Amino acid sequence: MGVVVDRVLCWILGSPRLRKLLFLPVALAALLFISWSTENWDIAYTQNTEPRMDPAALRKLKMENEKLKASLEAAAPKGVYIVIDTAKNRLYLRNGPKVLLEAVCSTGNGKVLRDGEKNRSWVFDTPRGERRIIKKVKGPVWTKPDWAFIEEGEKIPTSYTERVEEDMLGDYAMHIGDGFMIHGTLYTRLIGRSVTHGCVRLGDDDLEKVFKASAVGTPVFIY
Amino acid sequence: MGPTAIRRSFLVALCLALSACSKSPVPADLHPLAAENKLRALEIPLAKKNETYTVFDLRHRGIQIKIRGVTLREFRVLDQKIHRPWNSLASAQTLVNKGISRKPERTVINPPKTPGAADTMVERLEDSFELEDMPEFYTLEFEDKDRILVLPRSSHPLGFLQRLSATGVRAVFFFNRLSSPRSPAATIVLSPNDARALYWSFALNQKAIICAP
C-alpha cells in the first residue's frame, strides 16, 4: 500500500520533498477511509406493534413471564443495601431501585506485595461479590495485619498491643468479613482514588450517614 | 358466466387476496416475550448466587452488570454487528479470556530492606491499578468459543485516532473468528469509559447471559 500511495503522490505532486511530507497524512487518511467504508453496523431492532399471535399461546407466555419476574424479584435484597463501584470509586446506599445516597469512596489500589521470607503474597483489591455487614463499631482502632509491617520493612511484632493504632479509621467502621471494612480515613484528600489495601474508605459525613442507615446483615454488593 | 357469478367470484378472490396480505401469526418461540422469558429463566439460577453476572442484551442494545437480579450498572451499546448469529434467543456462558494485545499490569511492591526506608503513609497514586489502566479495545471469549469484540467510540475531536487503532483490531478479530467458523461472534461499540468499565467489572470465570437478536 505504501508503494501505491507513493506512486499516487508522485503523480499528483511531482516534487519529491512534498511527496515525503504528505506521505504519512495521506496514508492515514487512506486507512481511515478503509476503516469507515468497511464498517457496516446492524440497524437497531425496533418493535412498533406487538406481533400477532395465537391468544392462548400469548396468555401462556404472559403467565410464564409473570412467574419468572416474581422468582427474580424474590432473589433481590429487601430494604436498604450498599453498592460499591470499584471502577468509579463510588458507594451507593439503595433501597430497591431508589438511590438514597451517593458517596465518593476509595477502594483497593490493586498492588501486589510479596513476602519472600514466608513465601506469601497479598493483592490489595477490594473483594467483589456479595458481602454483609457483620459488625458495626464506633471509634474503631486498627489492628495492623502482617502485610502492614512487611510493606514498611518492619519486623512483625509478637504482641497484640504493638499492632494497635488508634484514630486511623475515623469515627465508625462496618466490618464486611475477612478483615475488610468500610471505615473513615485521615487522608480525605485521596478519597475518590484507588489507594487502600482493600478496605473502603469514606469521608466523615458520608460515613456517618451510611453507618446510621445500615444494620448488621445489610447486604453489600461490590463490583 | 352471469354478472352475479362474476361478482361472487370477484368477492371470493378479494377475500382470499386480503387474507394472504395480512400478517400470519408469529410462532410462540419467536415472540419478544419468549426471548424475555428465556433470558429470565437463565438469570434466575445466577441471581440465587452471591456473585455478579453480566447480561448482554444485544436485542435492546444494553449491557447490565447484575447481582441478585438487581442492576448495578448499565452500559449503552452505541453500535453493534452480529457477524455470526447465536442459535438460541439467550444463552448462558462463562468468560474464559479477555484477549487484547496488552493486559494491564499490577505494580509489585518490593518491601524495603531497612525499616522506615519506605514512607508508605505517602500513597503513590501513579502505581495504583485504576480504571484508566484498563484497555478500550479487547475481545471477550466465552467457554463455547463465542466471541465479542468491544470497540470504543469517542466524540472527542481526536477520536479519529481511535478509529485507526480499531481497524487493526477488527482485522485481528476477523482472523480469530476464522479459527472457530461455527461459533457466534459480534462486535459492539461503547463509549471509551464504558469499554474500560466493562473490562474492569467483567472478570474471568464470571457468568454472562447473551441475548442476541
Side-chain angles (χ1 to χ4, degrees), chain A residues 27-29 31-32 34-36 38-45 47 49-54 57-58 60-62 64-69 71-72 75-77 81 83 85-89 94 96 107-115 123-125 128-130 132 148 150-155 165 168 186-187 189-190 192-197 201 221-223, chain B residues 22-29 31-34 36-38 40-41 43-44 47-53 59-61 65-73 79-82 106-118 120-125 127-132 151 153 160-161 163-164 166-167 170 187-189 193 197 200-203 206 213:
Chain A
L28 287 175
L31 198 59
L32 273 173
I34 291 168
S35 171
W36 168 79
T38 54
E39 279 178 6
N40 179 21
W41 303 115
D42 293 341
I43 297 166
Y45 165 81
Q47 185 198 325
T49 56
E50 188 154 317
R52 230 160 50 84
M53 199 176 162
D54 174 43
L58 184 61
K60 193 177 166 192
L61 272 184
K62 283 184 177 172
E64 196 187 333
N65 189 262
E66 292 300 319
K67 202 170 137 191
L68 290 166
K69 265 189 192 166
S71 291
L72 206 52
Y81 59 96
V83 175
D85 182 347
T86 57
K88 283 161 78 171
N89 283 314
R94 282 163 60 162
T107 56
N109 61 32
K111 297 182 195 177
V112 178
L113 173 67
R114 295 210 171 103
D115 176 13
V123 179
F124 297 129
D125 281 338
R128 297 187 192 183
E130 179 183 350
R132 290 196 178 249
I150 293 167
E151 197 181 24
E152 292 174 18
E154 291 177 1
K155 202 174 154 203
E165 281 202 19
M168 291 291 293
L186 296 173
Y187 310 106
R189 68 178 180 87
L190 293 175
R193 301 300 300 272
S194 303
V195 291
T196 78
H197 293 85
R201 292 182 199 166
F221 300 128
I222 308 171
Y223 71 102
Chain B
S22 69
K23 287 182 189 170
S24 50
V26 166
D29 54 355
H31 194 277
L33 260 183
E36 192 184 322
N37 288 353
K38 181 85 202 256
R40 298 281 169 251
E43 193 177 346
I44 286 165
K48 290 180 179 169
K49 296 183 183 176
N50 60 357
E51 294 161 3
T52 55
Y53 56 94
R59 208 172 162 87
H60 299 109
R61 301 205 169 194
I65 309 275
K66 298 181 91 166
I67 191 168
R68 299 280 183 194
V70 172
T71 300
L72 302 177
R73 187 159 175 185
D79 262 319
Q80 70 188 31
K81 175 74 184 168
I82 309 292
R106 294 171 182 270
T107 302
V108 178
I109 302 168
N110 293 312
K113 299 264 188 293
T114 52
T120 55
M121 302 302 267
V122 175
E123 286 162 327
R124 294 190 302 279
L125 296 173
D127 297 339
S128 296
F129 196 62
E130 291 185 295
L131 182 65
E132 287 69 30
L151 295 178
R153 179 183 296 156
F160 71 92
L161 290 173
R163 189 187 280 277
L164 286 174
T167 308
R170 283 168 57 214
T187 296
I188 59 174
V189 179
N193 212 42
W200 175 279
S201 305
F202 190 25
Q206 269 187 6

